[in-house]
Amino acid sequence: MENSTSIYPRLALIPVARVARIRQLDEKDLLSFAIITTDPPPEISEAGHDRCQVPIKSEDLDAWLNPDPNNVEAMDKILADNAMPHFTHSVAG
């Protein structure tokens, strides 16, 4: 069943903001990343979470993946103008 309040189809991949680094450690590649989070919308807070990953709009993916290192403001704008879907939850009981 598809959630009609979501901008994403059920089970769709949601691109999220992250930063990554590749470095050498003992002659092997060490791949690491961190997901960028933000304050959650009210429905996520109500479910008991204090952070929420930042979803990236599909039209911003190329700019996020290939950033201009001289334009940090553009990256901040992508994070602020994100594609946060509406979530629903129910209390089991």
Side-chain angles (χ1 to χ4, degrees), residues 54-82:
V54 178
I56 300 294
K57 289 181 178 178
S58 59
E59 62 262 30
D60 292 331
L61 285 177
D62 187 57
W64 182 261
L65 295 172
N66 302 293
D68 176 354
N70 299 312
N71 191 356
V72 175
E73 294 81 16
M75 305 312 290
D76 289 340
K77 183 179 179 200
I78 290 172
L79 292 174
D81 185 30
N82 61 63

Side-chain angles (χ1 to χ4, degrees), residues 34-50:
I35 294 175
I36 299 174
T37 63
T38 189
D39 293 328
E43 64 273 13
I44 296 297
S45 291
E46 291 168 7
H49 299 283
D50 63 351

